[in-house]
Amino acid sequence: MKKYIHLLVLSIMLAGMILSLPFFNSCEELTEDVLRVHILANSDSAADQSLKLSVRDRIVSECSDYYDGCGGKEEALDITQAHLDEIESLAREEIRSRGFRYPVHAEVSEMYFNTRYYDDFTMPAGWYDSLRLTIGSGGGQNWWCVMYPSLCVGAASESEMKDSLDDGEYKVVKTDKYDFRFKIVEYWESFRSWFR
């Protein structure tokens, strides 16, 4: 009996995946077309979390101009790589101005992100290129947004989001409710990550 239940669950998941193939493709295209920024706080203390948000504000406000007129994600990656020292310096300056002496490290890397749900949009799970800033030990909760195209939460309006993404990608991120397909994508990406 247990064997049949497992088989039934597997069959339902496979059917869901097959029916969701266009959605999967749009999610994969989205992961290939965006550059995320990921900031890790030193710890979960209130002071360190507040510092992380100060660094976020500084980086988002001073670095978003880098991508004006940018022709695509590959160019955005090149721009980010070329400005890594400057980005790290801005973060260090903000940390010092707040009275902390933590080291900070900036790098471009490929990272796995789980599905993130917000009021107006959802970012699907997957492997994304990311500008990663680690403050101190990096042991605290993180913050992220989409640096290119600029979709940082609270910084982008719905019209800016629509202008920044193609129609298929916009339909993926714009959602009014929980979508089971995002869960399937998350399970699939988690499974794939075992083999990376």
Short mmCIF file of all heavy atoms in Angstrom, two decimals, residues 140-176:
data_model
loop_
_atom_site.label_atom_id
_atom_site.label_comp_id
_atom_site.label_asym_id
_atom_site.label_seq_id
_atom_site.Cartn_x
_atom_site.Cartn_y
_atom_site.Cartn_z
N GLY A 140 24.82 36.50 10.22
CA GLY A 140 23.47 36.99 10.48
C GLY A 140 22.55 36.80 9.30
O GLY A 140 22.95 36.34 8.23
N GLN A 141 21.29 37.17 9.50
CA GLN A 141 20.31 37.07 8.43
C GLN A 141 20.70 37.97 7.28
O GLN A 141 21.34 38.99 7.45
CB GLN A 141 18.93 37.44 8.95
CG GLN A 141 18.38 36.43 9.93
CD GLN A 141 16.98 36.78 10.36
OE1 GLN A 141 16.20 37.35 9.61
NE2 GLN A 141 16.65 36.44 11.59
N ASN A 142 20.27 37.55 6.09
CA ASN A 142 20.68 38.27 4.89
C ASN A 142 19.55 39.14 4.35
O ASN A 142 18.41 39.05 4.78
CB ASN A 142 21.15 37.28 3.82
CG ASN A 142 20.01 36.38 3.35
OD1 ASN A 142 19.13 36.81 2.64
ND2 ASN A 142 20.05 35.13 3.77
N TRP A 143 19.91 39.96 3.40
CA TRP A 143 18.96 40.77 2.65
C TRP A 143 19.35 40.65 1.19
O TRP A 143 20.52 40.52 0.86
CB TRP A 143 19.06 42.24 3.10
CG TRP A 143 18.16 43.14 2.33
CD1 TRP A 143 16.85 43.43 2.62
CD2 TRP A 143 18.45 43.83 1.12
NE1 TRP A 143 16.34 44.27 1.67
CE2 TRP A 143 17.30 44.53 0.72
CE3 TRP A 143 19.59 43.93 0.32
CZ2 TRP A 143 17.25 45.32 -0.41
CZ3 TRP A 143 19.55 44.71 -0.82
CH2 TRP A 143 18.39 45.40 -1.17
N TRP A 144 18.37 40.68 0.28
CA TRP A 144 18.68 40.59 -1.13
C TRP A 144 17.70 41.43 -1.93
O TRP A 144 16.62 41.76 -1.46
CB TRP A 144 18.64 39.15 -1.63
CG TRP A 144 17.24 38.64 -1.69
CD1 TRP A 144 16.55 37.98 -0.72
CD2 TRP A 144 16.33 38.80 -2.77
NE1 TRP A 144 15.28 37.72 -1.12
CE2 TRP A 144 15.10 38.22 -2.39
CE3 TRP A 144 16.42 39.38 -4.03
CZ2 TRP A 144 13.98 38.19 -3.22
CZ3 TRP A 144 15.30 39.37 -4.85
CH2 TRP A 144 14.11 38.77 -4.44
N CYS A 145 18.08 41.75 -3.14
CA CYS A 145 17.17 42.31 -4.13
C CYS A 145 17.76 42.03 -5.50
O CYS A 145 18.81 41.40 -5.61
CB CYS A 145 16.93 43.81 -3.91
SG CYS A 145 18.29 44.88 -4.39
N VAL A 146 17.09 42.49 -6.53
CA VAL A 146 17.59 42.34 -7.89
C VAL A 146 18.26 43.65 -8.27
O VAL A 146 17.62 44.69 -8.37
CB VAL A 146 16.45 41.99 -8.87
CG1 VAL A 146 16.97 41.92 -10.30
CG2 VAL A 146 15.81 40.66 -8.48
N MET A 147 19.57 43.59 -8.45
CA MET A 147 20.35 44.79 -8.77
C MET A 147 20.20 45.16 -10.24
O MET A 147 20.14 46.33 -10.59
CB MET A 147 21.82 44.52 -8.43
CG MET A 147 22.64 45.75 -8.33
SD MET A 147 22.21 46.65 -6.83
CE MET A 147 23.60 47.73 -6.69
N TYR A 148 20.16 44.15 -11.10
CA TYR A 148 19.94 44.39 -12.52
C TYR A 148 18.99 43.34 -13.07
O TYR A 148 19.24 42.15 -12.88
CB TYR A 148 21.24 44.34 -13.33
CG TYR A 148 20.94 44.50 -14.81
CD1 TYR A 148 20.79 45.76 -15.36
CD2 TYR A 148 20.74 43.39 -15.61
CE1 TYR A 148 20.44 45.91 -16.70
CE2 TYR A 148 20.40 43.53 -16.94
CZ TYR A 148 20.25 44.79 -17.48
OH TYR A 148 19.89 44.93 -18.79
N PRO A 149 17.90 43.73 -13.77
CA PRO A 149 17.39 45.09 -13.80
C PRO A 149 16.93 45.50 -12.41
O PRO A 149 16.60 44.64 -11.60
CB PRO A 149 16.24 45.04 -14.78
CG PRO A 149 15.80 43.60 -14.80
CD PRO A 149 17.02 42.79 -14.46
N SER A 150 16.92 46.77 -12.12
CA SER A 150 16.67 47.26 -10.76
C SER A 150 15.26 46.94 -10.29
O SER A 150 14.31 47.59 -10.69
CB SER A 150 16.92 48.76 -10.67
OG SER A 150 16.71 49.19 -9.35
N LEU A 151 15.14 45.91 -9.45
CA LEU A 151 13.85 45.53 -8.86
C LEU A 151 13.95 45.47 -7.35
O LEU A 151 13.25 44.70 -6.72
CB LEU A 151 13.40 44.16 -9.38
CG LEU A 151 13.19 44.01 -10.87
CD1 LEU A 151 12.74 42.59 -11.19
CD2 LEU A 151 12.17 45.00 -11.39
N CYS A 152 14.85 46.24 -6.77
CA CYS A 152 15.02 46.17 -5.33
C CYS A 152 13.70 46.49 -4.65
O CYS A 152 13.01 47.45 -5.01
CB CYS A 152 16.11 47.12 -4.86
SG CYS A 152 17.75 46.52 -5.33
N VAL A 153 13.33 45.65 -3.68
CA VAL A 153 12.06 45.78 -2.99
C VAL A 153 11.93 47.18 -2.41
O VAL A 153 12.82 47.66 -1.73
CB VAL A 153 11.93 44.72 -1.88
CG1 VAL A 153 10.65 44.89 -1.11
CG2 VAL A 153 12.02 43.33 -2.48
N GLY A 154 10.83 47.82 -2.73
CA GLY A 154 10.60 49.16 -2.25
C GLY A 154 11.18 50.21 -3.17
O GLY A 154 10.84 51.38 -3.08
N ALA A 155 12.05 49.81 -4.10
CA ALA A 155 12.68 50.79 -4.99
C ALA A 155 12.04 50.78 -6.37
O ALA A 155 12.15 51.74 -7.09
CB ALA A 155 14.17 50.48 -5.11
N ALA A 156 11.39 49.69 -6.74
CA ALA A 156 10.84 49.59 -8.09
C ALA A 156 9.32 49.57 -8.06
O ALA A 156 8.71 48.84 -7.28
CB ALA A 156 11.34 48.31 -8.76
N SER A 157 8.71 50.39 -8.91
CA SER A 157 7.26 50.37 -9.05
C SER A 157 6.89 49.23 -9.98
O SER A 157 7.73 48.66 -10.68
CB SER A 157 6.77 51.69 -9.63
OG SER A 157 7.18 51.80 -10.98
N GLU A 158 5.59 48.92 -10.03
CA GLU A 158 5.15 47.84 -10.91
C GLU A 158 5.43 48.18 -12.37
O GLU A 158 5.83 47.32 -13.14
CB GLU A 158 3.65 47.58 -10.71
CG GLU A 158 3.16 46.38 -11.47
CD GLU A 158 1.72 46.04 -11.15
OE1 GLU A 158 1.26 46.34 -10.04
OE2 GLU A 158 1.08 45.47 -12.03
N SER A 159 5.27 49.45 -12.77
CA SER A 159 5.53 49.82 -14.16
C SER A 159 7.01 49.69 -14.49
O SER A 159 7.38 49.26 -15.59
CB SER A 159 5.04 51.24 -14.45
OG SER A 159 5.72 52.18 -13.66
N GLU A 160 7.90 50.03 -13.53
CA GLU A 160 9.34 49.85 -13.76
C GLU A 160 9.68 48.38 -13.89
O GLU A 160 10.51 48.00 -14.71
CB GLU A 160 10.15 50.46 -12.60
CG GLU A 160 10.13 51.97 -12.58
CD GLU A 160 10.75 52.52 -11.30
OE1 GLU A 160 10.56 51.93 -10.22
OE2 GLU A 160 11.43 53.54 -11.40
N MET A 161 9.02 47.55 -13.08
CA MET A 161 9.25 46.11 -13.14
C MET A 161 8.84 45.59 -14.52
O MET A 161 9.56 44.82 -15.14
CB MET A 161 8.45 45.41 -12.05
CG MET A 161 8.75 43.95 -11.89
SD MET A 161 7.66 43.13 -10.71
CE MET A 161 7.83 44.13 -9.26
N LYS A 162 7.67 46.04 -14.99
CA LYS A 162 7.17 45.58 -16.28
C LYS A 162 8.10 46.02 -17.41
O LYS A 162 8.34 45.29 -18.36
CB LYS A 162 5.76 46.10 -16.51
CG LYS A 162 5.02 45.38 -17.61
CD LYS A 162 3.55 45.66 -17.57
CE LYS A 162 2.82 44.71 -18.49
NZ LYS A 162 1.39 44.77 -18.35
N ASP A 163 8.63 47.25 -17.31
CA ASP A 163 9.55 47.75 -18.33
C ASP A 163 10.88 47.00 -18.31
O ASP A 163 11.54 46.88 -19.34
CB ASP A 163 9.84 49.24 -18.12
CG ASP A 163 8.63 50.11 -18.43
OD1 ASP A 163 7.69 49.61 -19.10
OD2 ASP A 163 8.62 51.27 -17.98
N SER A 164 11.30 46.51 -17.15
CA SER A 164 12.61 45.87 -17.00
C SER A 164 12.64 44.42 -17.45
O SER A 164 13.69 43.90 -17.79
CB SER A 164 13.06 45.93 -15.54
OG SER A 164 13.21 47.25 -15.13
N LEU A 165 11.48 43.76 -17.43
CA LEU A 165 11.43 42.33 -17.75
C LEU A 165 10.64 42.11 -19.02
O LEU A 165 9.75 42.90 -19.35
CB LEU A 165 10.78 41.56 -16.60
CG LEU A 165 11.44 41.68 -15.23
CD1 LEU A 165 10.57 41.01 -14.18
CD2 LEU A 165 12.82 41.06 -15.25
N ASP A 166 10.94 41.02 -19.73
CA ASP A 166 10.09 40.71 -20.88
C ASP A 166 8.76 40.15 -20.37
O ASP A 166 8.60 39.86 -19.19
CB ASP A 166 10.80 39.79 -21.88
CG ASP A 166 10.96 38.35 -21.40
OD1 ASP A 166 10.10 37.86 -20.64
OD2 ASP A 166 11.93 37.70 -21.82
N ASP A 167 7.78 40.01 -21.28
CA ASP A 167 6.43 39.63 -20.86
C ASP A 167 6.38 38.32 -20.10
O ASP A 167 5.69 38.19 -19.09
CB ASP A 167 5.48 39.56 -22.07
CG ASP A 167 5.05 40.93 -22.54
OD1 ASP A 167 5.19 41.90 -21.76
OD2 ASP A 167 4.57 41.04 -23.68
N GLY A 168 7.13 37.30 -20.59
CA GLY A 168 7.11 36.00 -19.92
C GLY A 168 7.68 36.07 -18.51
O GLY A 168 7.14 35.50 -17.58
N GLU A 169 8.79 36.82 -18.35
CA GLU A 169 9.40 36.96 -17.04
C GLU A 169 8.50 37.76 -16.10
O GLU A 169 8.38 37.44 -14.92
CB GLU A 169 10.77 37.63 -17.17
CG GLU A 169 11.79 36.76 -17.87
CD GLU A 169 13.05 37.50 -18.26
OE1 GLU A 169 13.08 38.74 -18.15
OE2 GLU A 169 14.00 36.83 -18.69
N TYR A 170 7.85 38.80 -16.63
CA TYR A 170 6.96 39.61 -15.81
C TYR A 170 5.80 38.75 -15.30
O TYR A 170 5.40 38.84 -14.14
CB TYR A 170 6.44 40.81 -16.60
CG TYR A 170 5.44 41.63 -15.82
CD1 TYR A 170 5.87 42.47 -14.79
CD2 TYR A 170 4.08 41.54 -16.08
CE1 TYR A 170 4.97 43.21 -14.05
CE2 TYR A 170 3.18 42.28 -15.34
CZ TYR A 170 3.63 43.12 -14.34
OH TYR A 170 2.72 43.83 -13.60
N LYS A 171 5.27 37.89 -16.16
CA LYS A 171 4.16 37.02 -15.75
C LYS A 171 4.59 36.05 -14.66
O LYS A 171 3.80 35.63 -13.83
CB LYS A 171 3.59 36.27 -16.95
CG LYS A 171 2.78 37.17 -17.86
CD LYS A 171 2.34 36.43 -19.11
CE LYS A 171 1.68 37.40 -20.06
NZ LYS A 171 1.58 36.88 -21.41
N VAL A 172 5.88 35.66 -14.67
CA VAL A 172 6.39 34.77 -13.63
C VAL A 172 6.44 35.49 -12.29
O VAL A 172 5.97 34.99 -11.28
CB VAL A 172 7.79 34.22 -13.99
CG1 VAL A 172 8.44 33.56 -12.78
CG2 VAL A 172 7.69 33.22 -15.13
N VAL A 173 7.03 36.68 -12.26
CA VAL A 173 7.23 37.35 -10.98
C VAL A 173 5.97 38.01 -10.46
O VAL A 173 5.78 38.14 -9.26
CB VAL A 173 8.38 38.39 -11.01
CG1 VAL A 173 9.69 37.73 -11.42
CG2 VAL A 173 8.07 39.58 -11.89
N LYS A 174 5.08 38.48 -11.34
CA LYS A 174 3.86 39.16 -10.91
C LYS A 174 2.82 38.12 -10.53
O LYS A 174 2.40 37.32 -11.33
CB LYS A 174 3.33 40.05 -12.04
CG LYS A 174 2.08 40.81 -11.69
CD LYS A 174 2.35 41.83 -10.63
CE LYS A 174 1.07 42.58 -10.31
NZ LYS A 174 0.96 42.93 -8.93
N THR A 175 2.44 38.12 -9.29
CA THR A 175 1.47 37.14 -8.83
C THR A 175 0.60 37.73 -7.74
O THR A 175 1.03 38.57 -6.97
CB THR A 175 2.17 35.86 -8.31
OG1 THR A 175 1.20 34.90 -7.96
CG2 THR A 175 3.06 36.15 -7.12
N ASP A 176 -0.65 37.31 -7.73
CA ASP A 176 -1.59 37.80 -6.71
C ASP A 176 -1.80 36.80 -5.59
O ASP A 176 -2.44 37.09 -4.61
CB ASP A 176 -2.95 38.11 -7.35
CG ASP A 176 -2.85 39.26 -8.34
OD1 ASP A 176 -2.05 40.18 -8.07
OD2 ASP A 176 -3.55 39.24 -9.36
#
